[in-house]
Amino acid sequence: MRYDTSLLEKLKSEFPDDVLNMEATGPMPHALIKAASLKRIVGHIRDDKGFNMKYLNCITAVHVTDEHEGKFRSLGFNLIYNFTDADFSRSISLKVYIEDHGDGSINNVVPSIDIYYKSANWFEREIYDLMGIFFHYSKDLSRILLPPDWVGHPLRKDYSEQPSYNDMPTGRSDELQSLRLV
Amino acid sequence: MALIEFDKKLHKGTVQNRIELVRISNEEMVINMGPHHPSTHGVIRIVLRVDGEFISQARPDIGYLHRGIEKIAEGMSYHSFMPYTDRIDYLAAVNCNIGYAQAVEDLGQIEVPERARYCRVITAELNRILSHFMAIGPIATDLGAYTPFIYVVREREFIYKMMEAITGARLTYNYARIGGVSRDITDEILRDIEKYLDHLIPFMDEYHRLIGANKIFIERLVNLGVISKSEAMSHSLSGPNLRASGIKHDIRKDDPYLVYDRLNFDVPVGTGAEGTIGDSYDRYLQRIKEILESEKILRQAISSIPSGETLGKVPKRLVLPKGEIYSHTEAPRGELGYYIESDGKSDRPYRLKIRTGSFSSMTTLAVKIPGMMIADAVAFFASLDVVAPEIDR
Amino acid sequence: MWDLLYTITFAIVYFFVISISAGFTTVFERRIAGRIQSRIGPNRVGPQGSIQWLADGLKAIQKEDIIPDSVNPLLFKAAPYLVFMGMFGALVPIPLGQFTYMADLNVGIFYVIASTSFVVIGIVMGGWSSNNKWSLVGGIRSAAQLISFEIPISISIFIVVLSAGSLNFQEIIKAQGANPWDWFLFRNPFTFIAFIVYFIGSLAEANRVPFDIPEAESELVAGYNTEYSGMRFLFFFFEEFANIVVIGAIITALFLGGWNFWWRLEVPLDLPGLSHDGRVEILGILWYIIKTIVLVFFIIQIRWTLPRLRVDQLMNVSWKYLTPIGLLSALGLIIWMYFVPDDSFLSQVTRISMASIGVIIALYFFYRVYYNLKYTKAKINVNPFM
């Protein structure tokens, strides 16, 4: 990916309040932005001639956790958006951090960008399915990879499997285990 | 009885119900294409609302092949994850291998020896030829011509022999290692590859004369599922699908990796031969052109491969520095991107995300299929060249 | 009473004859398909695999008769028999030799077309009663296709019947001669067009590629015969191949001169019902069978080369191309027949020139095959008896 750090500086200068931080070093230079201003910024970098980011490479979600005194703590989620411009010469990465208060208040914080990119809907559906992040104003947010009556979001670090799915046991059965065949 | 109850519980709120909740007119019928279907390439289900032959709404339903590879990666070391990357796209296994190896090497600043890079390029291009064969064969089969597919399978056997000599396997190669490749390519195999390439070009000509220049084939595919340039960008298409819509973008040229910047090849673009730019016939022709380009790359790589080691020195317990990277390569089905985040302490990835070309190609279905006939939908879907494991991972 | 028994025995013998010929055609097709696709077809069961059909039939009879729960049982069970019935009756008036026929109906060709139309009913019944949306789509497509291709076929037959002056098969064949330029194929340009229209139309009637959307394997799994298994499925399968044999036989009788041969070899044989007049003419029968096999080979080769047409393109072929062409050539034939009597010099010249054009086209076809074989660098093994 051809990252151009001057683009990050340009973004910071155009949105001084919304860009919280800029990581210009490292293999993936990115700009950390506020969740509420995601849609505005994405719309700007898609349409503005200075950015012209017409191609969405990927949307990724990471579950940020912490091992604090032997106790596992879920801190929040990082959403990483990778864009490339229309000539495929420069790329930019945006990062959004959502805090996890543990009571479901992570929902409805991140707006969906599927009005700008037609492929964003499926990326966001996959993130909702596997991580549980709800995208506000999405035109169709439903489980995509897992069956619609699945409980839980598997890619989270604190995910534990449901014991049975539609009356089928998901773990290994006791008989086989007692025979020590598994 | 229990089975019927099971079905009823499952169908509440599923894709089928979602379409049926909308008022269906009297002549429309909700029909299910897949998951068991000879022509959805893999297990993919598309729920169609049809009015006679014409489709009025389409909704793909994926996830039948979801194996949780990304979650598995969080529990495995970087080295031992390599065989899993084979199974992301089993028809282009080496490309997936080297994409993953490259992501890890870029994040960890690991040097790859020259000869290993050439070996990677040679096997990747051979695998690209294999994969494109498996793309153009099923297009003909879905249209009713069974013979070209058998010819393609016969040709793949020749390449299988060479790949087996190089890597030891016929389909899922597990060839790349972090820091190089697993085995060297001997001179004898290089001569065999050159001899095969002499045979490849006349075969492509014969194949194109058999089915590609056939009037019925052209009539079925021309002006079907036209994806314009802006639509292709918006749907994040990549690979041959993107180039067939007229956009000249190839990661091997725009963002070169391995030794592609030293090799001389063109990037063919869809020109709307026989129809509009970006129709299904263009996507078919695009893959034929790319096979010819791969042949050029292979000849150059074989003639200029240096001698040396094939595997650099990499510690057995590989800990990558804290950070994240998104690195992409050109797989035959599109852009294969690996996002790796490492926490600097353990020898396992903290998060591994795989971005495949087929996933974004599937987003075009719900937009393009309404309005087509069922037979057209099958042909359009075949021209997109998706494989189910790439979509579901 | 003896007459009835006699007829029934005769029907059973005829049933065996047509089964064996249809079964043998399946093996023929699989071998040809294999050789086209650079592989060998079935070659283990008999000499060169010739009794593979018997093995398939025995296997299918032993299978469990699976009838899905939600089908309409009467229609589901009756559908294969209807299509079988349609094909079964079609070979009755077709004469293999001058004295070898089942029944010399004087509405011969009309009876054949009427009998093959039963297939439509059977296919629609099979598709609808399967309680399966895909089978229904296949059945409806097939009904539309079959009835719309009846029209160009009937127009071609009308042309032939006009040229011959009778619907009777024997009369039609007697109106042709042994020489190629005496065949109806080369009689005048209008009958040539009638041949092409009939050939394409009959491919559509038989649900063969490029018109096989009702049983499009890659779209509808197997179309109207998805839910059938075992022997019921074999009846549908049998009907398709019997249809090919019937097409070959009809085209040979109508256009290619039938059993006319230059020399005659009569063998006195008094098989009641099979040899009328107490004799059997062997060379004519052999020549008829050879011509039929050549046509069957050609039909099979088309199947394994071409992709299939979409349903609306198929309807276009029938309604927009074949029917107008057929009607125009019928008009042309009428005008021709009015002005040019059959034994005039102009008619002779036309026949011989058309026959020579036909021979040149055939030679060009063989030349192209030779050229392709020479040009391609792949090692091709042309031995068909592997």
Side-chain angles (χ1 to χ4, degrees):
Chain A
M1 298 281 277
R2 294 197 171 163
Y3 290 104
D4 194 349
T5 44
S6 65
L7 284 179
L8 294 174
E9 317 213 336
K10 190 157 172 246
L11 192 67
K12 175 101 180 152
S13 65
E14 290 180 8
F15 294 92
D17 307 319
D18 299 319
V19 177
L20 298 173
N21 196 7
M22 238 176 52
E23 273 287 329
T25 56
M28 193 179 98
H30 57 267
L32 184 66
I33 59 176
K34 273 197 217 159
S37 53
L38 174 68
K39 209 162 180 175
R40 214 170 359 116
I41 294 184
V42 167
H44 177 81
I45 63 176
R46 186 185 82 141
D47 298 324
D48 184 45
K49 285 293 168 253
F51 288 98
N52 209 17
M53 296 286 167
K54 295 261 193 270
Y55 190 80
L56 171 69
N57 282 94
C58 192
I59 310 179
T60 314
V62 186
H63 189 191
V64 179
T65 57
D66 193 353
E67 194 82 16
H68 188 66
E69 292 157 356
K71 218 170 35 118
F72 171 84
R73 208 165 47 124
S74 157
L75 293 175
F77 296 90
N78 267 337
L79 279 171
I80 293 124
Y81 293 76
N82 284 305
F83 300 96
T84 311
D85 75 345
D87 308 319
F88 296 97
S89 54
R90 301 189 297 179
S91 305
I92 194 175
S93 273
L94 300 177
K95 193 187 257 198
V96 174
Y97 178 66
I98 319 168
E99 269 195 68
D100 178 12
H101 303 299
D103 54 353
S105 63
I106 59 160
N107 293 339
N108 294 347
V109 173
V110 187
S112 156
I113 60 170
D114 61 10
I115 54 170
Y116 296 120
Y117 300 95
K118 293 206 184 98
S119 59
N121 183 32
W122 273 38
F123 285 126
E124 289 168 357
R125 277 176 74 182
E126 187 193 349
I127 292 177
Y128 164 66
D129 191 4
L130 297 175
M131 281 283 193
I133 299 170
F134 196 85
F135 288 87
H136 208 32
Y137 300 124
S138 163
K139 68 180 177 213
D140 171 20
L141 197 67
S142 54
R143 287 195 180 262
I144 190 170
L145 290 176
L146 297 172
D149 51 355
W150 195 265
V151 170
H153 300 283
L155 267 182
R156 290 195 182 182
K157 297 283 181 188
D158 52 356
Y159 171 73
S160 67
E161 216 171 1
Q162 51 191 351
S164 79
Y165 173 69
N166 274 335
D167 306 324
M168 289 185 289
T170 55
R172 293 178 169 165
S173 82
D174 292 330
E175 291 173 355
L176 288 175
Q177 216 156 26
S178 68
L179 288 175
R180 295 202 181 270
L181 283 175
V182 291
Chain B
M1 255 316 135
L3 206 57
I4 299 179
E5 291 302 315
F6 171 79
D7 272 340
K8 280 208 189 111
K9 239 177 28 174
L10 202 53
H11 279 157
K12 218 168 48 159
T14 49
V15 176
Q16 188 137 349
N17 252 5
R18 197 183 295 273
I19 291 187
E20 277 179 325
L21 281 177
V22 182
R23 190 178 57 93
I24 302 184
S25 76
N26 277 344
E27 294 101 29
E28 288 186 347
M29 181 164 79
V30 174
I31 224 175
N32 206 6
M33 195 160 115
H36 297 284
H37 199 91
S39 79
T40 59
H41 303 85
V43 269
I44 304 171
R45 175 179 173 225
I46 309 179
V47 186
L48 305 168
R49 206 166 84 188
V50 303
D51 172 17
E53 279 277 335
F54 286 94
I55 299 173
S56 56
Q57 192 178 348
R59 196 180 157 91
D61 180 19
I62 59 176
Y64 288 89
L65 214 51
H66 178 66
R67 297 151 289 174
I69 288 185
E70 302 178 358
K71 182 87 176 177
I72 289 177
E74 295 174 8
M76 312 191 73
S77 68
Y78 292 101
H79 294 289
S80 44
F81 186 65
M82 192 59 81
Y84 283 86
T85 57
D86 279 330
R87 274 92 181 157
I88 297 170
D89 179 7
Y90 53 82
L91 292 173
V94 171
N95 289 284
C96 302
N97 286 344
I98 63 180
Y100 171 68
Q102 182 170 308
V104 174
E105 287 151 9
D106 282 350
L107 185 55
Q109 310 286 325
I110 300 174
E111 274 293 317
V112 179
E114 257 322 277
R115 188 179 171 91
R117 288 200 222 169
Y118 273 90
C119 286
R120 281 186 184 179
V121 164
I122 290 174
T123 42
E125 292 304 316
L126 270 181
N127 222 338
R128 192 183 307 269
I129 294 178
L130 271 178
S131 173
H132 282 318
F133 271 152
M134 209 54 185
I136 58 184
I139 296 181
T141 311
D142 287 349
L143 253 51
Y146 306 107
T147 308
F149 179 66
I150 311 279
Y151 285 172
V152 151
V153 168
R154 182 193 76 199
E155 291 302 309
R156 277 165 57 95
E157 277 297 320
F158 295 132
I159 308 184
Y160 274 172
K161 283 209 184 80
M162 293 185 281
M163 290 300 283
E164 196 180 3
I166 300 176
T167 66
R170 279 164 57 104
L171 191 66
T172 50
Y173 304 110
N174 193 13
Y175 185 54
R177 299 279 180 267
I178 315 279
V181 292
S182 65
R183 290 191 196 184
D184 198 5
I185 307 184
T186 61
D187 282 338
E188 195 188 326
I189 301 177
L190 290 175
R191 299 289 93 77
D192 278 339
I193 298 179
E194 275 181 338
K195 232 181 350 169
Y196 175 70
L197 291 178
D198 289 331
H199 158 84
L200 177 66
I201 304 291
F203 170 72
M204 289 314 298
D205 184 37
E206 180 189 347
Y207 187 85
H208 189 68
R209 270 185 304 128
L210 170 67
I211 187 72
N214 189 323
K215 191 76 176 111
I216 301 180
F217 189 77
I218 295 179
E219 287 294 315
R220 284 291 297 268
L221 288 184
V222 140
N223 292 329
L224 179 69
V226 177
I227 303 181
S228 63
K229 275 191 192 179
S230 59
E231 268 182 340
M233 296 280 269
S234 182
H235 278 288
S236 300
L237 288 184
S238 48
N241 293 335
L242 182 68
R243 290 191 280 277
S245 291
I247 301 178
K248 203 172 170 93
H249 167 58
D250 190 333
I251 299 178
R252 298 174 287 174
K253 277 262 196 248
D254 291 336
D255 191 9
Y257 55 97
L258 294 177
V259 290
Y260 283 111
D261 44 0
R262 286 175 242 172
L263 298 173
N264 198 7
F265 60 99
D266 293 324
V267 175
V269 190
T271 56
E274 317 274 356
T276 41
I277 298 183
D279 60 9
S280 302
Y281 190 69
D282 261 350
R283 284 188 280 275
Y284 160 81
L285 262 188
Q286 179 69 24
R287 295 187 164 94
I288 301 227
K289 291 181 199 164
E290 295 203 358
I291 295 180
L292 302 177
E293 294 301 321
S294 288
E295 186 256 348
K296 276 192 222 161
I297 297 178
L298 270 172
R299 283 201 198 270
Q300 292 170 43
I302 291 178
S303 62
S304 55
I305 184 169
S307 57
E309 292 184 332
T310 53
L311 189 60
K313 280 225 163 297
V314 178
K316 269 215 179 100
R317 185 174 187 274
L318 176 66
V319 177
L320 295 182
K322 185 168 165 62
E324 55 200 351
I325 187 172
Y326 176 79
S327 131
H328 58 175
T329 57
E330 177 86 15
R333 278 180 180 80
E335 167 185 339
L336 188 66
Y338 284 87
Y339 170 85
I340 303 184
E341 173 165 340
S342 149
D343 63 356
K345 288 183 293 206
S346 71
D347 63 342
R348 298 154 189 225
Y350 186 74
R351 170 84 166 101
L352 176 78
K353 153 110 182 158
I354 306 165
R355 180 256 198 240
T356 52
S358 303
F359 190 74
S360 31
S361 299
M362 288 289 285
T363 59
T364 58
L365 280 184
V367 173
K368 289 282 162 202
I369 287 191
M372 292 185 189
M373 290 194 267
I374 300 181
D376 281 340
V378 170
F380 171 68
F381 188 54
S383 78
L384 280 181
D385 186 28
V386 296
V387 278
E390 253 202 350
I391 306 173
D392 301 336
R393 280 157 280 135
Chain C
M1 165 67 178
W2 283 117
D3 263 344
L4 180 63
L5 214 57
Y6 178 80
T7 318
I8 292 177
T9 329
F10 199 54
I12 295 177
V13 166
Y14 171 60
F15 172 68
F16 278 118
V17 164
I18 194 171
S19 304
I20 293 177
S21 63
F24 191 70
T25 311
T26 57
V27 182
F28 197 43
E29 154 143 28
R30 286 162 70 174
R31 294 275 336 211
I32 295 172
R35 298 310 289 137
I36 292 179
Q37 294 170 354
S38 50
R39 58 184 179 90
I40 317 172
N43 65 344
R44 284 187 188 266
V45 186
Q48 299 296 319
S50 50
I51 48 176
Q52 176 77 35
W53 53 274
L54 199 60
D56 286 340
L58 283 173
K59 179 193 86 163
I61 287 181
Q62 293 167 33
K63 278 198 173 167
E64 177 189 353
D65 183 19
I66 300 176
I67 301 184
D69 221 1
S70 45
V71 304
N72 187 334
L74 180 63
L75 294 180
F76 189 81
K77 290 178 191 167
Y81 302 130
L82 265 179
V83 304
F84 181 74
M85 192 172 89
M87 273 307 125
F88 181 63
L91 267 186
V92 165
I94 297 181
L96 277 185
Q98 191 169 6
F99 309 105
T100 314
Y101 47 84
M102 307 287 178
D104 193 16
L105 304 172
N106 47 4
V107 287
I109 186 67
F110 185 68
Y111 165 83
V112 170
I113 298 301
S115 178
T116 54
S117 300
F118 268 113
V119 171
V120 186
I121 310 178
I123 289 181
V124 174
M125 264 169 60
W128 189 82
S129 67
S130 296
N131 198 25
N132 179 351
K133 283 171 186 162
W134 287 106
S135 302
L136 179 65
V137 171
I140 300 296
R141 277 175 170 176
S142 173
Q145 170 183 332
L146 287 175
I147 57 179
S148 48
F149 275 94
E150 293 276 349
I151 295 182
I153 284 184
S154 309
I155 295 174
S156 313
I157 292 178
F158 171 69
I159 291 178
V160 168
V161 162
L162 271 185
S163 302
S166 160
L167 286 169
N168 190 345
F169 264 108
Q170 294 284 43
E171 296 294 323
I172 296 177
I173 295 178
K174 280 185 190 145
Q176 306 173 63
N179 302 315
W181 54 85
D182 283 333
W183 294 344
F184 274 151
L185 178 60
F186 298 123
R187 184 66 60 103
N188 49 53
F190 306 107
T191 51
F192 186 71
I193 295 175
F195 168 75
I196 295 179
V197 168
Y198 185 80
F199 187 70
I200 299 178
S202 61
L203 276 184
E205 283 287 313
N207 286 339
R208 297 285 294 180
V209 176
F211 305 109
D212 74 337
I213 40 157
E215 43 182 61
E217 268 167 37
S218 44
E219 290 165 28
L220 305 177
V221 188
Y224 56 86
N225 46 19
T226 313
E227 301 283 348
Y228 288 92
S229 64
M231 202 60 200
R232 299 185 198 280
F233 174 71
L234 227 61
F235 271 118
F236 278 116
F237 200 57
F238 164 94
E239 172 266 331
E240 181 182 339
F241 288 96
N243 212 343
I244 299 176
V245 172
V246 165
I247 292 170
I250 295 178
I251 294 184
T252 317
L254 293 184
F255 293 99
L256 296 185
W259 40 254
N260 286 310
F261 200 55
W262 295 277
W263 301 287
R264 298 171 62 87
L265 175 62
E266 288 184 16
V267 169
L269 189 65
D270 202 9
L271 265 181
L274 204 50
S275 63
H276 302 260
D277 249 8
R279 43 200 173 137
V280 160
E281 211 249 295
I282 294 199
L283 292 181
I285 297 179
L286 281 176
W287 191 222
Y288 194 106
I289 293 178
I290 289 178
K291 285 192 257 194
T292 308
I293 290 181
V294 166
L295 271 174
V296 164
F297 177 84
F298 196 45
I299 294 177
I300 292 174
Q301 190 196 18
I302 290 182
R303 175 188 185 168
W304 294 102
T305 320
L306 297 177
R308 72 173 67 99
L309 291 175
R310 207 176 54 210
V311 87
D312 64 329
Q313 291 168 339
L314 199 149
M315 291 300 163
N316 279 352
V317 165
S318 166
W319 292 104
K320 286 193 191 168
Y321 296 104
L322 288 185
T323 310
I325 291 178
L327 286 171
L328 284 175
S329 63
L331 183 64
L333 178 77
I334 294 174
I335 298 176
W336 176 277
M337 280 181 71
Y338 183 70
F339 285 113
V340 179
D342 237 358
D343 47 357
S344 73
F345 181 65
L346 180 59
S347 169
Q348 280 283 94
V349 162
T350 314
R351 283 189 231 175
I352 296 190
S353 55
M354 288 204 60
S356 37
I357 293 177
V359 163
I360 291 176
I361 293 180
L363 285 179
Y364 180 66
F365 171 74
F366 287 118
Y367 167 69
R368 287 295 309 182
V369 170
Y370 167 71
Y371 172 80
N372 281 341
L373 281 178
K374 204 164 80 109
Y375 171 68
T376 175
K377 286 192 185 165
K379 285 207 224 19
I380 298 197
N381 198 336
V382 290
N383 177 14
F385 299 116
M386 290 173 81

